[in-house]
Structure formats: C-alpha cells, structure tokens
Amino acid sequence: MSENLTIGERVAWYRRRRGMSQEALAGLVGRTSDWLGKAENNRIELDRLSVIRSLADALDVALGDLIGEPTLLDWTADSGTATVPALRAVLMDYRQLTPILSAPALDAEPPTLDELARELRSVFDAYQGSRFGYAAGRAPLLLTDALLAARQYDGDDRLRAHELLALSYQAAASVLTKIGEADLAWMAAERGLAAAQQSENYAITGSLFRSVAFALLSTGRHEPAMSLTEAAATYLQPHLNDGDGDVISSYGTLLLAGSMAAARAEDRATTRGYLAEADEAARRLGVDGNHLWTAFGPTNVAIHRVNTAMELGDVQVALDIGSELDTAALPVERRVRHMLDVARAFHVSGRHDAAVATVLNAERMAPDQVRHHYLSRQLVITWVRNTHGKPGFELHQLAKRMHVVG
C-alpha cells in the first residue's frame, strides 16, 4: 500500500478487504457508522493511538498497518546502501541463538572494550541526533562486534562486554522503533534484556526493561507495557537509594514509558501516577541528564505530560505546557518528538499556520525523524488532502520531501 494514504483511508481499505460493512466495524469499536464514515473520508481525525489500535484489533491487522509503518529508509551519505535489511540479517543470524551453533575457532579477534564503547557511543549519539540512517547503517557491525566480545572475554571483562552488548541491542531497538520496524525492535529489545541480565548491572537491566516496554508500545500492546512497567519498577526500587544516576534515569524513563502506555489505554489515574513518580525521580536526579542515553530529567517529564495529554484528548493542556516548554538542553530526537506533539495540538485546535510552521522547524532540525514518524506524515497528508486547490509552496515542497505526494 502506498505511503500517501491517511489512516482513515487505510481503515476503509482494510475494511473492504475484510468484507465488512461500516455498520459492522463501527459496532465492534463502539462507534456509529456515521462516525466511521467521517473517519474514512478524513472529516474526523484519527490521531489517538487508543482509537486506532481498537480499529486495528477489529480488522485483525497490526497497528503499523493502519499508521503506515514501516516506511522506506532513504539512502543518504550518512546511511550508505545497507540499512534495515543488514540489521535484520544480524538479528536473524541463527548463530546468535546459542554459542553451541557458533564456531569459536573461526571467530575474528574481538574489539577492545574501549573500542566497542566508542562504537556504541557513535550509534547512540546518531540516534539521539535523529540521524537514523547512520544509526541503522552502523548498528549491524556494532552488534556483530559486541556479540564477539561477549563470547570471548572472561571475568570482569565479560560482564562489561555484556553491558555493551545489551546497550548495543538497545540502540538497535531504539532506531528500529523510530522507523516503524516494530517486530525487529521487539527482537532486539528482548535479546538486549537477556544480555543485560548476564551483565549483573541493575541500571542496564532496567534500561533494557524500558526498551521492551517501548517495543510493546510500538505494537499497540498497552496493557502488557503497563504490567511490565510495574514489574520492572519493583525490580529497580531497592537500588534507588544508592543515588546512582544511571539507576534513577532508567527508573524514571521506565515510568515515562508506562505513562504513555496508560494514556493510550485511556487510564487517566495510572497516567497521573506514573508521571508523578517520574517527576519525583527527576527531582532526585536534579538535572536534565543523559545517563545511559535516556535524556531523563525534569524537561523530559514535561514532554511526556504533553504527549500523554494529547493521547487522552486534553489538547488545551498540551498547548498550555508544550508551546512554551524550553527543550534546548535535550537531544535533538527528544526535542523534535515534542515539536510533533505541539504541531498536532495546534492542528487539532485549528491553528493551521502554527502547526505547519512547527513541522517545518522540526524538519530543519531532523529530516529523518519527520520523514518517518506517523504523526508528521499523517499531518502533512491531511493538510494536502484538505487544501482547496493547490497547496501552498512550502507545504507542497514538504510533502514532496516526505514522499507523500508525487
């Protein structure tokens, strides 16, 4: 299916493929056929993931099928010509399943742990800089080197190698989630969690719990993500009194993932509870830090207040907090994700010019991220569809760069 369909048009396409009437589908999601007809014809916005997920469940399709993920990762000077397929090949290499299937005698010399740490930093920094092509292109070699190190080092070096392996899987899962490869992201997060447990490092294990939670979120499994948040938070709580910034940041970011899951499950009380706990963790940390590449701190908690408000339909709350929030201290990825929520709030409140300007500003900062995120794609498609006559020059050029018009 082409990329230039709105979510409503995708719903209509899959509904017809299933041989369902509008009345039948609307009944399954507790709506009227009039509501569904308007949604399919772009007269009602489908921008809340809780609603989209209910439609996906009723149609027996993946959430990504309705929001148009994944999209093609463009080749750039950063990415080269080996991106997601190369990463998929590494993740599906049968020799990763157990050392029994590997041939140690044929293994190359592993990198030093310092070299591996530098390689990991370059991929994570690229991810946080929204250079997803570069991160996807470098992740396969990073994972290969990290696996080799984890298998060949001994003693304390082996523990450190497993820390780096776990974080390498986390970096891969992070970029795969951003470009819509939810199933591969789950695979990377799951393997990262297994490696983290072998590292005996509480903070890194907590950080990988967060990756698994985000992988669940990306497939629309909100309730399991909330359950995981509860279990993982309980695991980390005994270690918070150590004052370790890595542990506090892993714990706080995990709660932020839980807040998103609760908001998408339309559970307001749990959303507020997770945000309050995350806020307390941010106060304990005291700064906008970036321990274990979490970007955790007071500002990231505020960003999630905006995000969850939008998921719950509290548009004015999102505008009150989000439009004046200073995110300059955070990595580009966090700043741009926040800008997309603010653009969405402007759009829903009828402030079209502000919404378009916000997306254009976000694109200048992070073209890869704006190109791949379902929010920006759906906003631009909707604006093009709803324009009477030819879209304005800036909007038309933006739509062409995002490949949502010819």
Side-chain angles (χ1 to χ4, degrees), residues 231-259:
T234 299
Y235 167 83
L236 285 173
Q237 281 164 355
H239 309 287
L240 293 175
N241 292 331
D242 298 340
D244 185 294
D246 287 354
V247 176
I248 293 170
S249 297
S250 291
Y251 178 73
T253 312
L254 174 70
L255 294 169
L256 294 180
S259 75

PDB file of all heavy atoms in Angstrom, residues 231-259:
ATOM      1  N   ALA A 231       6.323  -4.333  37.073  1.00  0.00           N
ATOM      2  CA  ALA A 231       7.282  -5.356  37.495  1.00  0.00           C
ATOM      3  C   ALA A 231       8.708  -4.817  37.488  1.00  0.00           C
ATOM      4  O   ALA A 231       9.493  -5.056  38.422  1.00  0.00           O
ATOM      5  CB  ALA A 231       7.170  -6.581  36.595  1.00  0.00           C
ATOM      6  N   ALA A 232       9.054  -4.075  36.440  1.00  0.00           N
ATOM      7  CA  ALA A 232      10.420  -3.557  36.325  1.00  0.00           C
ATOM      8  C   ALA A 232      10.678  -2.463  37.358  1.00  0.00           C
ATOM      9  O   ALA A 232      11.790  -2.359  37.896  1.00  0.00           O
ATOM     10  CB  ALA A 232      10.653  -3.023  34.911  1.00  0.00           C
ATOM     11  N   ALA A 233       9.684  -1.644  37.643  1.00  0.00           N
ATOM     12  CA  ALA A 233       9.849  -0.606  38.670  1.00  0.00           C
ATOM     13  C   ALA A 233      10.104  -1.248  40.027  1.00  0.00           C
ATOM     14  O   ALA A 233      10.957  -0.783  40.803  1.00  0.00           O
ATOM     15  CB  ALA A 233       8.616   0.287  38.716  1.00  0.00           C
ATOM     16  N   THR A 234       9.393  -2.313  40.317  1.00  0.00           N
ATOM     17  CA  THR A 234       9.606  -3.037  41.574  1.00  0.00           C
ATOM     18  C   THR A 234      11.020  -3.595  41.650  1.00  0.00           C
ATOM     19  O   THR A 234      11.663  -3.580  42.712  1.00  0.00           O
ATOM     20  CB  THR A 234       8.576  -4.171  41.699  1.00  0.00           C
ATOM     21  OG1 THR A 234       7.252  -3.603  41.701  1.00  0.00           O
ATOM     22  CG2 THR A 234       8.782  -4.964  42.976  1.00  0.00           C
ATOM     23  N   TYR A 235      11.518  -4.059  40.514  1.00  0.00           N
ATOM     24  CA  TYR A 235      12.893  -4.583  40.446  1.00  0.00           C
ATOM     25  C   TYR A 235      13.922  -3.496  40.756  1.00  0.00           C
ATOM     26  O   TYR A 235      14.921  -3.737  41.444  1.00  0.00           O
ATOM     27  CB  TYR A 235      13.122  -5.166  39.049  1.00  0.00           C
ATOM     28  CG  TYR A 235      14.554  -5.473  38.712  1.00  0.00           C
ATOM     29  CD1 TYR A 235      15.160  -6.667  39.117  1.00  0.00           C
ATOM     30  CD2 TYR A 235      15.318  -4.566  37.964  1.00  0.00           C
ATOM     31  CE1 TYR A 235      16.477  -6.946  38.792  1.00  0.00           C
ATOM     32  CE2 TYR A 235      16.637  -4.841  37.641  1.00  0.00           C
ATOM     33  CZ  TYR A 235      17.214  -6.025  38.051  1.00  0.00           C
ATOM     34  OH  TYR A 235      18.523  -6.294  37.740  1.00  0.00           O
ATOM     35  N   LEU A 236      13.682  -2.273  40.273  1.00  0.00           N
ATOM     36  CA  LEU A 236      14.668  -1.199  40.415  1.00  0.00           C
ATOM     37  C   LEU A 236      14.573  -0.454  41.739  1.00  0.00           C
ATOM     38  O   LEU A 236      15.565   0.114  42.207  1.00  0.00           O
ATOM     39  CB  LEU A 236      14.513  -0.198  39.261  1.00  0.00           C
ATOM     40  CG  LEU A 236      15.026  -0.638  37.898  1.00  0.00           C
ATOM     41  CD1 LEU A 236      14.642   0.392  36.833  1.00  0.00           C
ATOM     42  CD2 LEU A 236      16.541  -0.827  37.904  1.00  0.00           C
ATOM     43  N   GLN A 237      13.404  -0.418  42.339  1.00  0.00           N
ATOM     44  CA  GLN A 237      13.198   0.424  43.527  1.00  0.00           C
ATOM     45  C   GLN A 237      14.194   0.186  44.664  1.00  0.00           C
ATOM     46  O   GLN A 237      14.662   1.153  45.286  1.00  0.00           O
ATOM     47  CB  GLN A 237      11.755   0.266  44.015  1.00  0.00           C
ATOM     48  CG  GLN A 237      10.767   1.088  43.195  1.00  0.00           C
ATOM     49  CD  GLN A 237       9.333   0.664  43.385  1.00  0.00           C
ATOM     50  OE1 GLN A 237       9.040  -0.329  44.067  1.00  0.00           O
ATOM     51  NE2 GLN A 237       8.416   1.396  42.772  1.00  0.00           N
ATOM     52  N   PRO A 238      14.574  -1.070  44.974  1.00  0.00           N
ATOM     53  CA  PRO A 238      15.536  -1.265  46.075  1.00  0.00           C
ATOM     54  C   PRO A 238      16.895  -0.621  45.835  1.00  0.00           C
ATOM     55  O   PRO A 238      17.663  -0.429  46.779  1.00  0.00           O
ATOM     56  CB  PRO A 238      15.664  -2.788  46.166  1.00  0.00           C
ATOM     57  CG  PRO A 238      14.424  -3.323  45.535  1.00  0.00           C
ATOM     58  CD  PRO A 238      14.084  -2.357  44.452  1.00  0.00           C
ATOM     59  N   HIS A 239      17.195  -0.271  44.565  1.00  0.00           N
ATOM     60  CA  HIS A 239      18.520   0.257  44.238  1.00  0.00           C
ATOM     61  C   HIS A 239      18.530   1.778  44.076  1.00  0.00           C
ATOM     62  O   HIS A 239      19.574   2.370  43.808  1.00  0.00           O
ATOM     63  CB  HIS A 239      19.024  -0.408  42.953  1.00  0.00           C
ATOM     64  CG  HIS A 239      18.940  -1.911  42.988  1.00  0.00           C
ATOM     65  ND1 HIS A 239      19.794  -2.675  43.746  1.00  0.00           N
ATOM     66  CD2 HIS A 239      18.078  -2.763  42.389  1.00  0.00           C
ATOM     67  CE1 HIS A 239      19.471  -3.951  43.601  1.00  0.00           C
ATOM     68  NE2 HIS A 239      18.440  -4.035  42.787  1.00  0.00           N
ATOM     69  N   LEU A 240      17.365   2.417  44.252  1.00  0.00           N
ATOM     70  CA  LEU A 240      17.286   3.863  44.052  1.00  0.00           C
ATOM     71  C   LEU A 240      18.004   4.633  45.152  1.00  0.00           C
ATOM     72  O   LEU A 240      18.514   5.730  44.907  1.00  0.00           O
ATOM     73  CB  LEU A 240      15.821   4.304  43.993  1.00  0.00           C
ATOM     74  CG  LEU A 240      15.014   3.823  42.779  1.00  0.00           C
ATOM     75  CD1 LEU A 240      13.558   4.232  42.926  1.00  0.00           C
ATOM     76  CD2 LEU A 240      15.599   4.379  41.483  1.00  0.00           C
ATOM     77  N   ASN A 241      18.056   4.077  46.338  1.00  0.00           N
ATOM     78  CA  ASN A 241      18.672   4.801  47.454  1.00  0.00           C
ATOM     79  C   ASN A 241      20.180   4.955  47.303  1.00  0.00           C
ATOM     80  O   ASN A 241      20.804   5.725  48.035  1.00  0.00           O
ATOM     81  CB  ASN A 241      18.350   4.098  48.773  1.00  0.00           C
ATOM     82  CG  ASN A 241      16.884   4.212  49.122  1.00  0.00           C
ATOM     83  OD1 ASN A 241      16.223   5.173  48.744  1.00  0.00           O
ATOM     84  ND2 ASN A 241      16.364   3.223  49.829  1.00  0.00           N
ATOM     85  N   ASP A 242      20.771   4.229  46.360  1.00  0.00           N
ATOM     86  CA  ASP A 242      22.213   4.369  46.119  1.00  0.00           C
ATOM     87  C   ASP A 242      22.555   5.722  45.513  1.00  0.00           C
ATOM     88  O   ASP A 242      23.719   6.136  45.516  1.00  0.00           O
ATOM     89  CB  ASP A 242      22.716   3.260  45.190  1.00  0.00           C
ATOM     90  CG  ASP A 242      22.526   1.874  45.793  1.00  0.00           C
ATOM     91  OD1 ASP A 242      22.375   1.799  47.018  1.00  0.00           O
ATOM     92  OD2 ASP A 242      22.522   0.885  45.024  1.00  0.00           O
ATOM     93  N   GLY A 243      21.545   6.407  44.961  1.00  0.00           N
ATOM     94  CA  GLY A 243      21.787   7.712  44.344  1.00  0.00           C
ATOM     95  C   GLY A 243      22.483   7.639  43.001  1.00  0.00           C
ATOM     96  O   GLY A 243      22.964   8.647  42.485  1.00  0.00           O
ATOM     97  N   ASP A 244      22.553   6.440  42.424  1.00  0.00           N
ATOM     98  CA  ASP A 244      23.224   6.247  41.138  1.00  0.00           C
ATOM     99  C   ASP A 244      22.386   6.880  40.027  1.00  0.00           C
ATOM    100  O   ASP A 244      21.219   6.543  39.835  1.00  0.00           O
ATOM    101  CB  ASP A 244      23.415   4.749  40.891  1.00  0.00           C
ATOM    102  CG  ASP A 244      24.208   4.453  39.634  1.00  0.00           C
ATOM    103  OD1 ASP A 244      23.704   4.757  38.537  1.00  0.00           O
ATOM    104  OD2 ASP A 244      25.322   3.925  39.748  1.00  0.00           O
ATOM    105  N   GLY A 245      23.000   7.788  39.261  1.00  0.00           N
ATOM    106  CA  GLY A 245      22.272   8.481  38.194  1.00  0.00           C
ATOM    107  C   GLY A 245      21.777   7.553  37.120  1.00  0.00           C
ATOM    108  O   GLY A 245      20.707   7.781  36.531  1.00  0.00           O
ATOM    109  N   ASP A 246      22.528   6.479  36.823  1.00  0.00           N
ATOM    110  CA  ASP A 246      22.090   5.518  35.810  1.00  0.00           C
ATOM    111  C   ASP A 246      20.812   4.811  36.256  1.00  0.00           C
ATOM    112  O   ASP A 246      19.871   4.650  35.468  1.00  0.00           O
ATOM    113  CB  ASP A 246      23.181   4.483  35.548  1.00  0.00           C
ATOM    114  CG  ASP A 246      24.365   5.041  34.763  1.00  0.00           C
ATOM    115  OD1 ASP A 246      24.289   6.207  34.316  1.00  0.00           O
ATOM    116  OD2 ASP A 246      25.355   4.306  34.598  1.00  0.00           O
ATOM    117  N   VAL A 247      20.788   4.379  37.532  1.00  0.00           N
ATOM    118  CA  VAL A 247      19.613   3.669  38.038  1.00  0.00           C
ATOM    119  C   VAL A 247      18.399   4.596  38.086  1.00  0.00           C
ATOM    120  O   VAL A 247      17.302   4.231  37.644  1.00  0.00           O
ATOM    121  CB  VAL A 247      19.890   3.079  39.432  1.00  0.00           C
ATOM    122  CG1 VAL A 247      18.626   2.428  40.000  1.00  0.00           C
ATOM    123  CG2 VAL A 247      21.011   2.058  39.383  1.00  0.00           C
ATOM    124  N   ILE A 248      18.595   5.806  38.604  1.00  0.00           N
ATOM    125  CA  ILE A 248      17.481   6.762  38.698  1.00  0.00           C
ATOM    126  C   ILE A 248      16.936   7.084  37.315  1.00  0.00           C
ATOM    127  O   ILE A 248      15.714   7.135  37.102  1.00  0.00           O
ATOM    128  CB  ILE A 248      17.936   8.044  39.418  1.00  0.00           C
ATOM    129  CG1 ILE A 248      18.265   7.746  40.881  1.00  0.00           C
ATOM    130  CG2 ILE A 248      16.862   9.134  39.328  1.00  0.00           C
ATOM    131  CD1 ILE A 248      18.944   8.898  41.605  1.00  0.00           C
ATOM    132  N   SER A 249      17.825   7.259  36.352  1.00  0.00           N
ATOM    133  CA  SER A 249      17.388   7.601  34.993  1.00  0.00           C
ATOM    134  C   SER A 249      16.670   6.436  34.326  1.00  0.00           C
ATOM    135  O   SER A 249      15.671   6.632  33.627  1.00  0.00           O
ATOM    136  CB  SER A 249      18.594   8.035  34.155  1.00  0.00           C
ATOM    137  OG  SER A 249      19.176   9.212  34.686  1.00  0.00           O
ATOM    138  N   SER A 250      17.171   5.215  34.531  1.00  0.00           N
ATOM    139  CA  SER A 250      16.480   4.041  33.986  1.00  0.00           C
ATOM    140  C   SER A 250      15.085   3.920  34.587  1.00  0.00           C
ATOM    141  O   SER A 250      14.106   3.641  33.884  1.00  0.00           O
ATOM    142  CB  SER A 250      17.288   2.770  34.271  1.00  0.00           C
ATOM    143  OG  SER A 250      18.480   2.753  33.520  1.00  0.00           O
ATOM    144  N   TYR A 251      15.013   4.126  35.900  1.00  0.00           N
ATOM    145  CA  TYR A 251      13.726   4.038  36.602  1.00  0.00           C
ATOM    146  C   TYR A 251      12.763   5.116  36.093  1.00  0.00           C
ATOM    147  O   TYR A 251      11.597   4.828  35.768  1.00  0.00           O
ATOM    148  CB  TYR A 251      13.976   4.204  38.100  1.00  0.00           C
ATOM    149  CG  TYR A 251      12.745   4.176  38.959  1.00  0.00           C
ATOM    150  CD1 TYR A 251      12.065   2.983  39.202  1.00  0.00           C
ATOM    151  CD2 TYR A 251      12.273   5.349  39.565  1.00  0.00           C
ATOM    152  CE1 TYR A 251      10.939   2.961  40.017  1.00  0.00           C
ATOM    153  CE2 TYR A 251      11.153   5.322  40.384  1.00  0.00           C
ATOM    154  CZ  TYR A 251      10.487   4.126  40.604  1.00  0.00           C
ATOM    155  OH  TYR A 251       9.382   4.105  41.411  1.00  0.00           O
ATOM    156  N   GLY A 252      13.238   6.347  36.012  1.00  0.00           N
ATOM    157  CA  GLY A 252      12.376   7.438  35.572  1.00  0.00           C
ATOM    158  C   GLY A 252      11.897   7.270  34.148  1.00  0.00           C
ATOM    159  O   GLY A 252      10.712   7.499  33.842  1.00  0.00           O
ATOM    160  N   THR A 253      12.787   6.837  33.259  1.00  0.00           N
ATOM    161  CA  THR A 253      12.397   6.663  31.858  1.00  0.00           C
ATOM    162  C   THR A 253      11.428   5.504  31.703  1.00  0.00           C
ATOM    163  O   THR A 253      10.525   5.543  30.858  1.00  0.00           O
ATOM    164  CB  THR A 253      13.636   6.440  30.977  1.00  0.00           C
ATOM    165  OG1 THR A 253      14.618   7.430  31.295  1.00  0.00           O
ATOM    166  CG2 THR A 253      13.291   6.556  29.509  1.00  0.00           C
ATOM    167  N   LEU A 254      11.609   4.470  32.511  1.00  0.00           N
ATOM    168  CA  LEU A 254      10.661   3.364  32.515  1.00  0.00           C
ATOM    169  C   LEU A 254       9.262   3.854  32.891  1.00  0.00           C
ATOM    170  O   LEU A 254       8.260   3.480  32.259  1.00  0.00           O
ATOM    171  CB  LEU A 254      11.133   2.300  33.509  1.00  0.00           C
ATOM    172  CG  LEU A 254      10.195   1.116  33.749  1.00  0.00           C
ATOM    173  CD1 LEU A 254      10.140   0.228  32.512  1.00  0.00           C
ATOM    174  CD2 LEU A 254      10.662   0.308  34.952  1.00  0.00           C
ATOM    175  N   LEU A 255       9.172   4.719  33.900  1.00  0.00           N
ATOM    176  CA  LEU A 255       7.875   5.268  34.303  1.00  0.00           C
ATOM    177  C   LEU A 255       7.261   6.138  33.202  1.00  0.00           C
ATOM    178  O   LEU A 255       6.034   6.155  33.036  1.00  0.00           O
ATOM    179  CB  LEU A 255       8.028   6.082  35.582  1.00  0.00           C
ATOM    180  CG  LEU A 255       8.413   5.275  36.830  1.00  0.00           C
ATOM    181  CD1 LEU A 255       8.799   6.223  37.960  1.00  0.00           C
ATOM    182  CD2 LEU A 255       7.276   4.366  37.260  1.00  0.00           C
ATOM    183  N   LEU A 256       8.111   6.837  32.456  1.00  0.00           N
ATOM    184  CA  LEU A 256       7.593   7.631  31.337  1.00  0.00           C
ATOM    185  C   LEU A 256       7.001   6.727  30.258  1.00  0.00           C
ATOM    186  O   LEU A 256       5.960   7.044  29.674  1.00  0.00           O
ATOM    187  CB  LEU A 256       8.693   8.515  30.761  1.00  0.00           C
ATOM    188  CG  LEU A 256       9.214   9.615  31.690  1.00  0.00           C
ATOM    189  CD1 LEU A 256      10.298  10.433  30.998  1.00  0.00           C
ATOM    190  CD2 LEU A 256       8.082  10.517  32.165  1.00  0.00           C
ATOM    191  N   ALA A 257       7.664   5.598  29.998  1.00  0.00           N
ATOM    192  CA  ALA A 257       7.093   4.626  29.060  1.00  0.00           C
ATOM    193  C   ALA A 257       5.752   4.124  29.579  1.00  0.00           C
ATOM    194  O   ALA A 257       4.777   3.989  28.824  1.00  0.00           O
ATOM    195  CB  ALA A 257       8.056   3.463  28.853  1.00  0.00           C
ATOM    196  N   GLY A 258       5.702   3.862  30.892  1.00  0.00           N
ATOM    197  CA  GLY A 258       4.442   3.427  31.485  1.00  0.00           C
ATOM    198  C   GLY A 258       3.342   4.469  31.369  1.00  0.00           C
ATOM    199  O   GLY A 258       2.168   4.141  31.143  1.00  0.00           O
ATOM    200  N   SER A 259       3.712   5.745  31.501  1.00  0.00           N
ATOM    201  CA  SER A 259       2.702   6.810  31.380  1.00  0.00           C
ATOM    202  C   SER A 259       2.109   6.854  29.985  1.00  0.00           C
ATOM    203  O   SER A 259       0.903   7.084  29.810  1.00  0.00           O
ATOM    204  CB  SER A 259       3.313   8.172  31.753  1.00  0.00           C
ATOM    205  OG  SER A 259       4.167   8.674  30.737  1.00  0.00           O
TER     206      SER A 259
END
